[in-house]
Structure formats: C-alpha cells, structure tokens
C-alpha cells in the first residue's frame, strides 16, 4: 500500500512474512498503547503475477521500482482491508499457489471488481495472525460464512442473510458479514440486474 512493497519468489514466503509482520506489530503495540489510546494497524494485500523490475527517473535522481498490472492489483487488494475490517487479504492466484494452504487460517471473502478491472477477482482473508479469541470465533463461523457467500452468489438473499446474521451473533465486529447483510437487504428491496455476476464493484479514486 502506501508504505511498503515487497517482492517474493514464493507465495508461501509472502504469506509467512505477512503473518510475522502482524505478530511483530502486535508486540510493538504493547508498548505503543502505554502512551497512545489506539493501537497501530496495517492492512496487507497479496497477489501473484508478472512484474517489470528496473530503475526510473533521470540523471539527478534514479529509483528502483516494480511496475505492472499485478502491482496495481496487489495495492487495490490492500485497500480492501479497510472496507472488510481485516488485516490481510490475498488473491485467488496466491491462494491456489500455496504449497501448504492448510498451514494458514483462510476463509473465502468475496468476489470484487476493482478500478481498472473488468474481470472480477476472488479474494480470501488470511486470519492466521488474528488474536486467538478472534481466530476461534472465525473458525466457529467459517461454515456459515462461506455457505452464505455461495447462496449470495446464487441470488438466494433471504437464506444468505440469515447465515450472515448467525455469523454476527458470534462475531459482532465482522465487517465482512455486516457488508453481506446490507447487500442482501438492498437486493431484496431492489433485485440486481439480470447480468449480475455476484461481484461487488469498487470504484477507487
């Protein structure tokens, strides 16, 4: 996002680094909160793809950087962490490339369209670095949440809404479940168009 961009050769290394970064931030906040009311928080977005690595600038100033559509998408995914209220989101490309996905706590989040993209992107939450009590409640509601996303994509909004309400009863702070409840309510009042593909359309400025 705004502060750090990192390149990894292996998606598993990127996942491990994201978990370690969030654990390090948690340790830092122990001291930080002694002087400040609120803890620091960050959002991480992971995506895999081809990039162009090189230097840009002119003779007075040259910088090394990476540019590509993949970099832009990773940044867009990072931005979505604020909307969903989560620490780490990864693209389906990352998820499918993991050699040992069972090592991480992952739940399917949503299908989204980001600015500049016509094809929707499936995103997943990596909640491996969440506090133990949050991890436990997300594990407990995982089945309801993911079944709710399937029903939502099929246009079965009454049934989907009921499942997301169940999630909120256990995890009231789950902004992702709250977003689905609101979307279900909206579509029950005004059904989506016939060509609706289930994706949430974001228009990043």
């Amino acid at each position: 996002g705004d502060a750090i961009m990192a390149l990894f050769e292996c998606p598993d290394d990127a996942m491990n680094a994201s978990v370690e970064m969030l654990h390090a931030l948690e340790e830092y906040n122990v001291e930080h909160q002694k002087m400040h009311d609120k803890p620091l928080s960050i959002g991480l977005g992971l995506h895999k793809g081809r990039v162009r690595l090189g230097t840009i600038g002119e003779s007075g100033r040259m910088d090394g950087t990476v540019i590509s559509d993949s970099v832009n998408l990773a940044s867009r995914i990072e931005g979505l962490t604020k909307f969903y209220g989560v620490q780490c989101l990864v693209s389906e490309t990352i998820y499918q490339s993991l050699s040992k996905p069972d090592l991480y706590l992952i739940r399917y989040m949503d299908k989204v369209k980001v600015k500049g993209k016509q094809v929707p992107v499936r995103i997943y939450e990596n909640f491996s670095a969440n506090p133990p009590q949050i991890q436990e409640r997300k594990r407990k509601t995982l089945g309801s949440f993911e079944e709710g996303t399937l029903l939502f994509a099929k246009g079965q909004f009454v049934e989907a809404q009921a499942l997301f309400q169940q999630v909120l009863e256990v995890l009231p702070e789950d902004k992702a479940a709250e977003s689905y409840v609101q979307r279900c309510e909206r579509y029950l009042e005004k059904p989506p168009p016939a060509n609706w593909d289930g994706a949430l359309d974001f228009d990043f400025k």
Side-chain angles (χ1 to χ4, degrees), residues 127-140:
F127 62 97
S128 305
N130 282 185
Q133 66 273 19
I134 300 297
Q135 287 186 14
E136 180 58 31
R137 285 189 281 168
K138 285 186 178 179
R139 285 174 183 260
K140 185 176 180 180

mmCIF file with all atom_site columns, all heavy atoms in Angstrom, residues 127-140:
data_model
loop_
_atom_site.group_PDB
_atom_site.id
_atom_site.type_symbol
_atom_site.label_atom_id
_atom_site.label_alt_id
_atom_site.label_comp_id
_atom_site.label_asym_id
_atom_site.label_entity_id
_atom_site.label_seq_id
_atom_site.pdbx_PDB_ins_code
_atom_site.Cartn_x
_atom_site.Cartn_y
_atom_site.Cartn_z
_atom_site.occupancy
_atom_site.B_iso_or_equiv
_atom_site.pdbx_formal_charge
_atom_site.auth_seq_id
_atom_site.auth_comp_id
_atom_site.auth_asym_id
_atom_site.auth_atom_id
_atom_site.pdbx_PDB_model_num
ATOM 1   N N   . PHE A 1 127 ? -6.427  -15.047 8.212  1.00 0.00 ? 127 PHE A N   1
ATOM 2   C CA  . PHE A 1 127 ? -6.588  -14.564 9.585  1.00 0.00 ? 127 PHE A CA  1
ATOM 3   C C   . PHE A 1 127 ? -5.683  -15.303 10.576 1.00 0.00 ? 127 PHE A C   1
ATOM 4   O O   . PHE A 1 127 ? -5.950  -15.369 11.784 1.00 0.00 ? 127 PHE A O   1
ATOM 5   C CB  . PHE A 1 127 ? -8.060  -14.618 10.023 1.00 0.00 ? 127 PHE A CB  1
ATOM 6   C CG  . PHE A 1 127 ? -8.716  -15.970 10.052 1.00 0.00 ? 127 PHE A CG  1
ATOM 7   C CD1 . PHE A 1 127 ? -8.812  -16.685 11.225 1.00 0.00 ? 127 PHE A CD1 1
ATOM 8   C CD2 . PHE A 1 127 ? -9.272  -16.515 8.898  1.00 0.00 ? 127 PHE A CD2 1
ATOM 9   C CE1 . PHE A 1 127 ? -9.450  -17.926 11.263 1.00 0.00 ? 127 PHE A CE1 1
ATOM 10  C CE2 . PHE A 1 127 ? -9.919  -17.746 8.923  1.00 0.00 ? 127 PHE A CE2 1
ATOM 11  C CZ  . PHE A 1 127 ? -10.005 -18.455 10.112 1.00 0.00 ? 127 PHE A CZ  1
ATOM 12  N N   . SER A 1 128 ? -4.565  -15.801 10.076 1.00 0.00 ? 128 SER A N   1
ATOM 13  C CA  . SER A 1 128 ? -3.621  -16.555 10.910 1.00 0.00 ? 128 SER A CA  1
ATOM 14  C C   . SER A 1 128 ? -2.999  -15.710 12.010 1.00 0.00 ? 128 SER A C   1
ATOM 15  O O   . SER A 1 128 ? -2.543  -16.249 13.028 1.00 0.00 ? 128 SER A O   1
ATOM 16  C CB  . SER A 1 128 ? -2.514  -17.146 10.041 1.00 0.00 ? 128 SER A CB  1
ATOM 17  O OG  . SER A 1 128 ? -3.027  -17.931 8.996  1.00 0.00 ? 128 SER A OG  1
ATOM 18  N N   . ALA A 1 129 ? -2.949  -14.383 11.820 1.00 0.00 ? 129 ALA A N   1
ATOM 19  C CA  . ALA A 1 129 ? -2.322  -13.512 12.815 1.00 0.00 ? 129 ALA A CA  1
ATOM 20  C C   . ALA A 1 129 ? -3.338  -12.830 13.719 1.00 0.00 ? 129 ALA A C   1
ATOM 21  O O   . ALA A 1 129 ? -2.971  -11.993 14.547 1.00 0.00 ? 129 ALA A O   1
ATOM 22  C CB  . ALA A 1 129 ? -1.462  -12.451 12.118 1.00 0.00 ? 129 ALA A CB  1
ATOM 23  N N   . ASN A 1 130 ? -4.612  -13.170 13.583 1.00 0.00 ? 130 ASN A N   1
ATOM 24  C CA  . ASN A 1 130 ? -5.631  -12.593 14.465 1.00 0.00 ? 130 ASN A CA  1
ATOM 25  C C   . ASN A 1 130 ? -5.412  -13.056 15.907 1.00 0.00 ? 130 ASN A C   1
ATOM 26  O O   . ASN A 1 130 ? -4.842  -14.137 16.142 1.00 0.00 ? 130 ASN A O   1
ATOM 27  C CB  . ASN A 1 130 ? -7.029  -13.029 14.024 1.00 0.00 ? 130 ASN A CB  1
ATOM 28  C CG  . ASN A 1 130 ? -7.552  -12.261 12.824 1.00 0.00 ? 130 ASN A CG  1
ATOM 29  O OD1 . ASN A 1 130 ? -8.690  -12.431 12.418 1.00 0.00 ? 130 ASN A OD1 1
ATOM 30  N ND2 . ASN A 1 130 ? -6.734  -11.405 12.232 1.00 0.00 ? 130 ASN A ND2 1
ATOM 31  N N   . PRO A 1 131 ? -5.870  -12.287 16.889 1.00 0.00 ? 131 PRO A N   1
ATOM 32  C CA  . PRO A 1 131 ? -5.813  -12.760 18.277 1.00 0.00 ? 131 PRO A CA  1
ATOM 33  C C   . PRO A 1 131 ? -6.533  -14.101 18.417 1.00 0.00 ? 131 PRO A C   1
ATOM 34  O O   . PRO A 1 131 ? -7.500  -14.367 17.696 1.00 0.00 ? 131 PRO A O   1
ATOM 35  C CB  . PRO A 1 131 ? -6.545  -11.651 19.055 1.00 0.00 ? 131 PRO A CB  1
ATOM 36  C CG  . PRO A 1 131 ? -6.400  -10.431 18.201 1.00 0.00 ? 131 PRO A CG  1
ATOM 37  C CD  . PRO A 1 131 ? -6.426  -10.931 16.781 1.00 0.00 ? 131 PRO A CD  1
ATOM 38  N N   . PRO A 1 132 ? -6.068  -14.958 19.335 1.00 0.00 ? 132 PRO A N   1
ATOM 39  C CA  . PRO A 1 132 ? -6.632  -16.309 19.471 1.00 0.00 ? 132 PRO A CA  1
ATOM 40  C C   . PRO A 1 132 ? -8.151  -16.341 19.602 1.00 0.00 ? 132 PRO A C   1
ATOM 41  O O   . PRO A 1 132 ? -8.808  -17.216 19.019 1.00 0.00 ? 132 PRO A O   1
ATOM 42  C CB  . PRO A 1 132 ? -5.950  -16.848 20.731 1.00 0.00 ? 132 PRO A CB  1
ATOM 43  C CG  . PRO A 1 132 ? -4.642  -16.115 20.789 1.00 0.00 ? 132 PRO A CG  1
ATOM 44  C CD  . PRO A 1 132 ? -4.925  -14.747 20.250 1.00 0.00 ? 132 PRO A CD  1
ATOM 45  N N   . GLN A 1 133 ? -8.728  -15.389 20.343 1.00 0.00 ? 133 GLN A N   1
ATOM 46  C CA  . GLN A 1 133 ? -10.178 -15.415 20.537 1.00 0.00 ? 133 GLN A CA  1
ATOM 47  C C   . GLN A 1 133 ? -10.918 -15.103 19.240 1.00 0.00 ? 133 GLN A C   1
ATOM 48  O O   . GLN A 1 133 ? -12.006 -15.660 18.968 1.00 0.00 ? 133 GLN A O   1
ATOM 49  C CB  . GLN A 1 133 ? -10.611 -14.452 21.646 1.00 0.00 ? 133 GLN A CB  1
ATOM 50  C CG  . GLN A 1 133 ? -10.388 -12.971 21.366 1.00 0.00 ? 133 GLN A CG  1
ATOM 51  C CD  . GLN A 1 133 ? -8.994  -12.501 21.765 1.00 0.00 ? 133 GLN A CD  1
ATOM 52  O OE1 . GLN A 1 133 ? -8.090  -13.322 21.921 1.00 0.00 ? 133 GLN A OE1 1
ATOM 53  N NE2 . GLN A 1 133 ? -8.836  -11.193 21.957 1.00 0.00 ? 133 GLN A NE2 1
ATOM 54  N N   . ILE A 1 134 ? -10.345 -14.219 18.405 1.00 0.00 ? 134 ILE A N   1
ATOM 55  C CA  . ILE A 1 134 ? -10.956 -13.903 17.107 1.00 0.00 ? 134 ILE A CA  1
ATOM 56  C C   . ILE A 1 134 ? -10.794 -15.091 16.162 1.00 0.00 ? 134 ILE A C   1
ATOM 57  O O   . ILE A 1 134 ? -11.728 -15.446 15.423 1.00 0.00 ? 134 ILE A O   1
ATOM 58  C CB  . ILE A 1 134 ? -10.330 -12.648 16.495 1.00 0.00 ? 134 ILE A CB  1
ATOM 59  C CG1 . ILE A 1 134 ? -10.524 -11.441 17.424 1.00 0.00 ? 134 ILE A CG1 1
ATOM 60  C CG2 . ILE A 1 134 ? -10.931 -12.353 15.123 1.00 0.00 ? 134 ILE A CG2 1
ATOM 61  C CD1 . ILE A 1 134 ? -11.965 -11.061 17.638 1.00 0.00 ? 134 ILE A CD1 1
ATOM 62  N N   . GLN A 1 135 ? -9.624  -15.713 16.184 1.00 0.00 ? 135 GLN A N   1
ATOM 63  C CA  . GLN A 1 135 ? -9.399  -16.908 15.371 1.00 0.00 ? 135 GLN A CA  1
ATOM 64  C C   . GLN A 1 135 ? -10.448 -17.975 15.679 1.00 0.00 ? 135 GLN A C   1
ATOM 65  O O   . GLN A 1 135 ? -11.025 -18.571 14.762 1.00 0.00 ? 135 GLN A O   1
ATOM 66  C CB  . GLN A 1 135 ? -8.007  -17.483 15.630 1.00 0.00 ? 135 GLN A CB  1
ATOM 67  C CG  . GLN A 1 135 ? -6.866  -16.690 15.042 1.00 0.00 ? 135 GLN A CG  1
ATOM 68  C CD  . GLN A 1 135 ? -5.542  -17.412 15.219 1.00 0.00 ? 135 GLN A CD  1
ATOM 69  O OE1 . GLN A 1 135 ? -5.502  -18.602 15.549 1.00 0.00 ? 135 GLN A OE1 1
ATOM 70  N NE2 . GLN A 1 135 ? -4.445  -16.705 15.013 1.00 0.00 ? 135 GLN A NE2 1
ATOM 71  N N   . GLU A 1 136 ? -10.676 -18.196 16.955 1.00 0.00 ? 136 GLU A N   1
ATOM 72  C CA  . GLU A 1 136 ? -11.608 -19.237 17.363 1.00 0.00 ? 136 GLU A CA  1
ATOM 73  C C   . GLU A 1 136 ? -13.020 -18.936 16.870 1.00 0.00 ? 136 GLU A C   1
ATOM 74  O O   . GLU A 1 136 ? -13.724 -19.823 16.368 1.00 0.00 ? 136 GLU A O   1
ATOM 75  C CB  . GLU A 1 136 ? -11.605 -19.368 18.893 1.00 0.00 ? 136 GLU A CB  1
ATOM 76  C CG  . GLU A 1 136 ? -12.546 -20.439 19.430 1.00 0.00 ? 136 GLU A CG  1
ATOM 77  C CD  . GLU A 1 136 ? -12.255 -21.827 18.889 1.00 0.00 ? 136 GLU A CD  1
ATOM 78  O OE1 . GLU A 1 136 ? -11.077 -22.129 18.591 1.00 0.00 ? 136 GLU A OE1 1
ATOM 79  O OE2 . GLU A 1 136 ? -13.199 -22.620 18.737 1.00 0.00 ? 136 GLU A OE2 1
ATOM 80  N N   . ARG A 1 137 ? -13.449 -17.685 16.964 1.00 0.00 ? 137 ARG A N   1
ATOM 81  C CA  . ARG A 1 137 ? -14.806 -17.334 16.526 1.00 0.00 ? 137 ARG A CA  1
ATOM 82  C C   . ARG A 1 137 ? -14.936 -17.374 15.006 1.00 0.00 ? 137 ARG A C   1
ATOM 83  O O   . ARG A 1 137 ? -15.991 -17.724 14.479 1.00 0.00 ? 137 ARG A O   1
ATOM 84  C CB  . ARG A 1 137 ? -15.190 -15.962 17.081 1.00 0.00 ? 137 ARG A CB  1
ATOM 85  C CG  . ARG A 1 137 ? -15.522 -16.007 18.577 1.00 0.00 ? 137 ARG A CG  1
ATOM 86  C CD  . ARG A 1 137 ? -16.097 -14.705 19.067 1.00 0.00 ? 137 ARG A CD  1
ATOM 87  N NE  . ARG A 1 137 ? -15.051 -13.715 19.278 1.00 0.00 ? 137 ARG A NE  1
ATOM 88  C CZ  . ARG A 1 137 ? -15.284 -12.417 19.491 1.00 0.00 ? 137 ARG A CZ  1
ATOM 89  N NH1 . ARG A 1 137 ? -16.529 -11.961 19.490 1.00 0.00 ? 137 ARG A NH1 1
ATOM 90  N NH2 . ARG A 1 137 ? -14.282 -11.581 19.694 1.00 0.00 ? 137 ARG A NH2 1
ATOM 91  N N   . LYS A 1 138 ? -13.857 -17.038 14.300 1.00 0.00 ? 138 LYS A N   1
ATOM 92  C CA  . LYS A 1 138 ? -13.906 -17.139 12.832 1.00 0.00 ? 138 LYS A CA  1
ATOM 93  C C   . LYS A 1 138 ? -13.924 -18.601 12.400 1.00 0.00 ? 138 LYS A C   1
ATOM 94  O O   . LYS A 1 138 ? -14.586 -18.960 11.417 1.00 0.00 ? 138 LYS A O   1
ATOM 95  C CB  . LYS A 1 138 ? -12.725 -16.392 12.209 1.00 0.00 ? 138 LYS A CB  1
ATOM 96  C CG  . LYS A 1 138 ? -12.902 -14.880 12.239 1.00 0.00 ? 138 LYS A CG  1
ATOM 97  C CD  . LYS A 1 138 ? -11.807 -14.142 11.506 1.00 0.00 ? 138 LYS A CD  1
ATOM 98  C CE  . LYS A 1 138 ? -12.070 -12.635 11.519 1.00 0.00 ? 138 LYS A CE  1
ATOM 99  N NZ  . LYS A 1 138 ? -11.005 -11.866 10.831 1.00 0.00 ? 138 LYS A NZ  1
ATOM 100 N N   . ARG A 1 139 ? -13.202 -19.446 13.123 1.00 0.00 ? 139 ARG A N   1
ATOM 101 C CA  . ARG A 1 139 ? -13.261 -20.887 12.839 1.00 0.00 ? 139 ARG A CA  1
ATOM 102 C C   . ARG A 1 139 ? -14.681 -21.415 13.063 1.00 0.00 ? 139 ARG A C   1
ATOM 103 O O   . ARG A 1 139 ? -15.217 -22.197 12.270 1.00 0.00 ? 139 ARG A O   1
ATOM 104 C CB  . ARG A 1 139 ? -12.303 -21.648 13.767 1.00 0.00 ? 139 ARG A CB  1
ATOM 105 C CG  . ARG A 1 139 ? -10.825 -21.557 13.446 1.00 0.00 ? 139 ARG A CG  1
ATOM 106 C CD  . ARG A 1 139 ? -10.082 -22.248 14.565 1.00 0.00 ? 139 ARG A CD  1
ATOM 107 N NE  . ARG A 1 139 ? -8.652  -22.195 14.462 1.00 0.00 ? 139 ARG A NE  1
ATOM 108 C CZ  . ARG A 1 139 ? -7.890  -23.180 13.997 1.00 0.00 ? 139 ARG A CZ  1
ATOM 109 N NH1 . ARG A 1 139 ? -8.466  -24.285 13.565 1.00 0.00 ? 139 ARG A NH1 1
ATOM 110 N NH2 . ARG A 1 139 ? -6.583  -23.078 13.958 1.00 0.00 ? 139 ARG A NH2 1
ATOM 111 N N   . LYS A 1 140 ? -15.287 -20.975 14.159 1.00 0.00 ? 140 LYS A N   1
ATOM 112 C CA  . LYS A 1 140 ? -16.614 -21.452 14.536 1.00 0.00 ? 140 LYS A CA  1
ATOM 113 C C   . LYS A 1 140 ? -17.666 -21.054 13.500 1.00 0.00 ? 140 LYS A C   1
ATOM 114 O O   . LYS A 1 140 ? -18.612 -21.810 13.240 1.00 0.00 ? 140 LYS A O   1
ATOM 115 C CB  . LYS A 1 140 ? -16.986 -20.875 15.910 1.00 0.00 ? 140 LYS A CB  1
ATOM 116 C CG  . LYS A 1 140 ? -18.300 -21.393 16.469 1.00 0.00 ? 140 LYS A CG  1
ATOM 117 C CD  . LYS A 1 140 ? -18.547 -20.841 17.869 1.00 0.00 ? 140 LYS A CD  1
ATOM 118 C CE  . LYS A 1 140 ? -19.856 -21.356 18.439 1.00 0.00 ? 140 LYS A CE  1
ATOM 119 N NZ  . LYS A 1 140 ? -20.107 -20.824 19.814 1.00 0.00 ? 140 LYS A NZ  1
#
